[in-house]
């Protein structure tokens, strides 16, 4: 397996070498093409001048004719530049010429590689000579176009390409060095994050990533790792606290049972059905506590899948109201359910979880409200939210305790000890509400009553009632 750094360096090196090769190819092509264009225009200008020389010879001394010596002045230039010339009159009769063969001979004498020059390597251009608007003859120029460049041309192009290549190579070397540095900047933070995540994985839950980076993705990765670390640490603390809370909670009833049973065995206190009943009540309370803990564990575990779908809160409340109505009557408590018939109370939720929330709140209200009391379930909504209030006129909660009642095992005061409970019900409620992204608020006055209000986001109106 390769490292990111190695991959980056290889990629940058390969691409800069490719860039050098491509620039070499483009450069050679461009120089050759430019050279051709330059050559062509020089030759055209030269041809024009040669035609003018013949024109001047024609009109020299007002003779208006050519002689056999008319072309002698171009011979030197023609031999030096490698072109043949022939002069014809207007009827096409040859008057004078410097033949191709003579030029070949001349060129061969100068050339290092004589066998290469042939008449086919000459390009032909024929120009009419016009004097006073009438055609007086033709000049044909045959230019030797060498297949091989001259040494000077070759040297010039070679030097040009070499210098460009050297600068491209130097540029590549700088880029490759830079890539070492840049890849280090990229891989160092990744290495650091990977060692932090390794530390987390081996149980070092307070390990956090603190390196600085200006790379967006790495910064995000760092934040996620730190978030993960935070969550793991919190979960771990919760687990530890749960274990210590449970052992603390269980120790009390177990001690009571143990001391009483031991006292009975030793005959210190007599064994009576009343005493046994009271110990049995303690065992029952113990069982209920374990039952509640089980529910809490279920809702606290992140693994528990909530089946979130559109549910009608009114239907859930109606069922619970029907189930509790008789029990409330037995306790001589009036239980009422209020809502606007025209409203629909659709929210996104898990009906099992929501049932648990409402049952726990009504249960508490029934526990802490005396005979002839009143408990109301009130549903209402506005354009954004649906509110469910469970209100009683029971004993209320002291203001100093309000902030703690959602804590696990928190019970308000000893005077309520005779009321059965384990201090877990509201923890479960809060947990389920968090999973619903809902809000729970409590308002209470000692001796006046308590009301819990749950707030849920409304469903968009176009979602139909597909709930129970
Ligand atoms: P418990 O099992 O003790 O009822 P909860 O978590 O449900 O545990 O409630 C925590 C404490 O909050 C209770 O012990 C009680 O003192 C107080 N409490 C909850 N609901 C009410 C209420 N409706 N009226 C008065 N006190 C309440």
């Amino acid at each position: 397996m390769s490292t990111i750094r190695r991959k980056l360096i290889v990629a940058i090196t390969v691409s800069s070498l490719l860039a050098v090769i491509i620039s070499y190819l483009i450069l050679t092509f461009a120089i050759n093409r430019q050279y051709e264009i330059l050559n062509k225009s020089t030759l055209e200008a030269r041809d024009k001048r040669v035609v003018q020389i013949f024109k001047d010879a024609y009109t020299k001394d007002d003779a208006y004719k050519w002689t056999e010596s008319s072309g002698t002045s171009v011979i030197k230039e023609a031999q030096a530049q490698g072109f043949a010339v022939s002069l014809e009159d207007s009827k096409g009769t040859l008057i004078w010429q410097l033949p191709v063969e003579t030029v070949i001979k001349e060129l061969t004498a100068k050339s290092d590689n004589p066998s290469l020059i042939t008449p086919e390597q000459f390009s032909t251009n024929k120009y009419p000579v016009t004097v006073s608007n009438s055609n007086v003859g033709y000049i044909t120029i045959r230019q030797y176009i060498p297949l091989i460049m001259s040494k000077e041309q070759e040297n010039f192009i070679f030097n040009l390409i070499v210098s460009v290549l050297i600068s491209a190579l130097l540029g590549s070397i700088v880029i490759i060095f830079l890539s070492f540095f840049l890849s280090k900047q990229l891989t160092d933070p990744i290495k650091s994050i990977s060692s932090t995540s390794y530390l987390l994985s081996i149980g070092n839950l307070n390990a956090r990533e603190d390196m600085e980076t200006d790379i967006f993705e790495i910064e995000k990765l760092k934040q996620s790792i730190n978030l993960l670390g935070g969550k793991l640490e919190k979960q771990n603390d919760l687990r530890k606290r749960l274990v210590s809370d449970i052992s603390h909670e269980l120790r009390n009833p177990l001690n009571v049972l143990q001391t009483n049973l031991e006292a009975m065995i030793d005959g210190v206190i007599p064994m009576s059905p009343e005493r046994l009943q009271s110990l049995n009540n303690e065992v029952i309370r113990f069982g209920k506590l374990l039952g509640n803990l089980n529910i809490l564990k279920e809702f606290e575990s992140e693994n528990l899948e909530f089946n979130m779908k559109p549910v009608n809160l009114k239907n859930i409340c109606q069922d619970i109201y029907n189930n509790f109505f008789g029990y409330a009557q037995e306790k001589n408590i009036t239980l009422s359910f209020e809502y606007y018939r025209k409203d629909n109370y659709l929210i996104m939720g898990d009906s099992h979880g929501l049932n648990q929330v409402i049952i726990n709140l009504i249960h508490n209200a029934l526990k802490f409200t005396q005979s002839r009391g009143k408990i109301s379930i009130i549903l209402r909504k506005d354009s954004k939210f649906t509110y469910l209030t469970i209100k009683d006129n029971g004993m209320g909660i002291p203001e100093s305790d309000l902030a703690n009642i959602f804590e696990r095992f928190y019970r308000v005061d000893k005077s309520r000890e005779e009321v059965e409970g384990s201090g877990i019900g509201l923890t479960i409620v809060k947990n389920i509400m968090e999973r619903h992204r809902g809000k729970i608020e409590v308002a209470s006055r000692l001796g006046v009553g308590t009301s819990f209000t749950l707030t849920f986001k409304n469903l968009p109106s176009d979602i139909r009632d597909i709930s129970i």
Side-chain angles (χ1 to χ4, degrees):
M1 205 182 283
S2 175
T3 60
I4 293 185
R5 188 154 190 224
R6 210 171 135 172
K7 286 224 157 171
L8 266 178
I9 292 171
V10 169
I12 292 172
T13 309
V14 169
S15 35
S16 47
L17 288 179
L18 267 178
V20 171
I21 293 170
I22 290 169
S23 50
Y24 167 75
L25 292 175
I26 292 176
L27 194 69
T28 332
F29 174 76
I31 288 176
N32 282 331
R33 173 129 184 80
Q34 212 45 44
Y35 190 76
E36 264 171 33
I37 292 170
L38 200 71
N39 238 0
K40 205 175 159 210
S41 58
T42 318
L43 287 179
E44 274 171 8
R46 196 269 327 272
D47 286 1
K48 236 175 163 179
R49 202 163 34 77
V50 170
V51 172
Q52 188 59 44
I53 290 173
F54 280 96
K55 218 170 169 177
D56 293 346
Y58 185 79
T59 54
K60 195 178 174 198
D61 303 331
D62 292 332
Y64 290 96
K65 64 174 179 156
W66 279 302
T67 63
E68 280 183 5
S69 60
S70 291
T72 42
S73 63
V74 296
I75 291 178
K76 260 198 173 157
E77 186 181 356
Q79 283 177 340
Q81 291 182 9
F83 65 89
V85 197
S86 61
L87 169 67
E88 289 159 28
D89 65 14
S90 58
K91 290 186 188 93
T93 317
L94 184 70
I95 298 171
W96 174 89
Q97 73 165 335
L98 174 64
V100 167
E101 291 70 24
T102 316
V103 177
I104 290 181
K105 248 187 224 160
E106 193 65 33
L107 288 172
T108 312
K110 286 194 279 180
S111 167
D112 308 334
N113 198 353
S115 61
L116 281 175
I117 306 176
T118 61
E120 286 74 42
Q121 285 170 256
F122 283 76
S123 78
T124 304
N125 278 315
K126 192 171 181 175
Y127 303 96
V129 184
T130 317
V131 175
S132 310
N133 285 335
S134 64
N135 179 18
V136 293
Y138 297 95
I139 308 290
T140 307
I141 298 176
R142 292 191 179 85
Q143 174 66 50
Y144 169 57
I145 309 285
L147 292 176
I148 303 169
M149 285 183 193
S150 72
K151 268 268 169 288
E152 294 80 41
Q153 290 164 356
E154 264 181 8
N155 280 346
F156 170 72
I157 293 176
F158 176 76
N159 286 338
L160 193 69
I161 291 176
V162 165
S163 45
V164 171
L165 274 184
I166 287 176
S167 47
L169 270 172
L170 282 178
S172 301
I173 291 169
V174 172
I175 290 173
I176 292 166
F177 266 106
L178 271 178
S179 77
F180 271 92
F181 172 71
L182 286 175
S183 62
K184 197 168 152 52
Q185 268 203 332
L186 186 71
T187 51
D188 278 1
I190 294 181
K191 268 191 205 158
S192 169
I193 290 176
S194 107
S195 62
T196 307
S197 51
Y198 174 72
L199 285 176
L200 288 174
S201 78
I202 57 168
N204 196 343
L205 297 182
N206 55 7
R208 294 290 180 277
E209 189 53 68
D210 55 4
M211 56 84 198
E212 297 288 324
T213 177
D214 54 0
I215 303 169
F216 178 76
E217 287 84 354
I218 295 182
E219 180 62 29
K220 281 263 152 210
L221 188 62
K222 169 186 150 185
Q223 285 172 3
S224 318
I225 278 288
N226 286 346
L227 207 72
L228 177 73
K231 282 209 165 170
L232 284 175
E233 204 176 6
K234 197 174 151 211
Q235 283 292 324
N236 198 40
D237 287 349
L238 269 175
R239 194 174 48 82
K240 281 186 194 154
R241 233 184 70 204
L242 180 66
V243 173
S244 82
D245 283 355
I246 291 173
S247 59
H248 180 259
E249 274 303 301
L250 296 189
R251 201 174 301 126
N252 267 351
L254 267 179
N255 277 347
V256 173
L257 276 176
Q258 195 185 354
T259 15
N260 277 286
L261 285 171
E262 275 172 4
M264 282 185 205
I265 292 165
D266 295 344
V268 178
I269 50 169
M271 193 162 41
S272 68
E274 293 77 37
R275 281 216 166 86
L276 283 174
Q277 184 56 50
S278 135
L279 291 183
N280 192 35
N281 285 346
E282 204 59 21
V283 174
I284 290 169
R285 195 174 91 78
F286 206 69
K288 278 190 180 163
L289 172 69
L290 289 179
N292 271 335
L293 272 176
N294 213 25
I295 296 172
L296 179 64
K297 187 195 82 194
E298 197 185 309
F299 282 112
E300 265 190 352
S301 101
E302 302 268 325
N303 304 335
L304 179 80
E305 280 283 320
F306 266 42
N307 183 12
M308 300 298 264
K309 57 179 189 185
V311 287
N312 194 330
L313 213 48
K314 192 216 100 191
N315 294 350
I316 296 180
C317 290
Q318 185 70 60
D319 284 350
I320 296 173
Y321 167 76
N322 294 343
N323 292 342
F324 275 90
F325 187 77
Y327 179 61
Q329 246 181 356
E330 263 175 39
K331 289 193 78 179
N332 203 14
I333 292 171
T334 317
L335 181 64
S336 67
F337 178 30
E338 300 162 25
Y339 60 95
Y340 287 104
R341 264 174 210 289
K342 282 184 189 157
D343 278 340
N344 95 3
Y345 295 97
L346 272 188
I347 58 156
M348 193 57 108
D350 171 82
S351 50
H352 170 57
L354 291 171
N355 258 293
Q356 187 75 48
V357 167
I358 303 165
I359 289 174
N360 281 9
L361 292 177
I362 295 182
H363 230 268
N364 275 350
L366 284 165
K367 274 196 304 193
F368 300 107
T369 303
Q370 296 84 347
S371 171
R372 285 206 288 271
K374 183 172 160 38
I375 299 172
S376 319
I377 307 169
I378 306 159
L379 251 182
R380 63 199 165 85
K381 70 185 285 189
D382 57 25
S383 59
K384 282 190 176 164
F385 301 101
T386 296
Y387 308 92
L388 170 61
T389 302
I390 287 148
K391 188 174 157 193
D392 63 59
N393 60 358
M395 63 174 72
I397 304 166
E399 213 182 323
S400 54
D401 288 291
L402 275 180
N404 302 319
I405 53 170
F406 295 102
E407 292 286 313
R408 196 191 286 143
F409 301 121
Y410 193 87
R411 305 189 68 209
V412 170
D413 62 45
K414 298 265 183 273
S415 66
R416 302 179 185 201
E417 209 108 278
E418 69 273 9
V419 182
E420 188 194 288
S422 54
I424 292 175
L426 288 179
T427 317
I428 294 174
V429 167
K430 189 171 162 234
N431 223 288
I432 298 173
M433 286 306 288
E434 275 169 8
R435 295 284 295 266
H436 278 78
R437 295 185 196 287
K439 209 164 71 175
I440 177 159
E441 285 161 305
V442 56
S444 187
R445 269 180 69 191
L446 207 54
V448 177
T450 307
S451 87
F452 286 92
T453 300
L454 311 174
T455 308
F456 301 92
K457 233 176 150 180
N458 287 342
L459 266 191
S461 52
D462 54 338
I463 296 187
R464 285 170 35 129
D465 185 356
I466 55 164
S467 61
I468 40 167

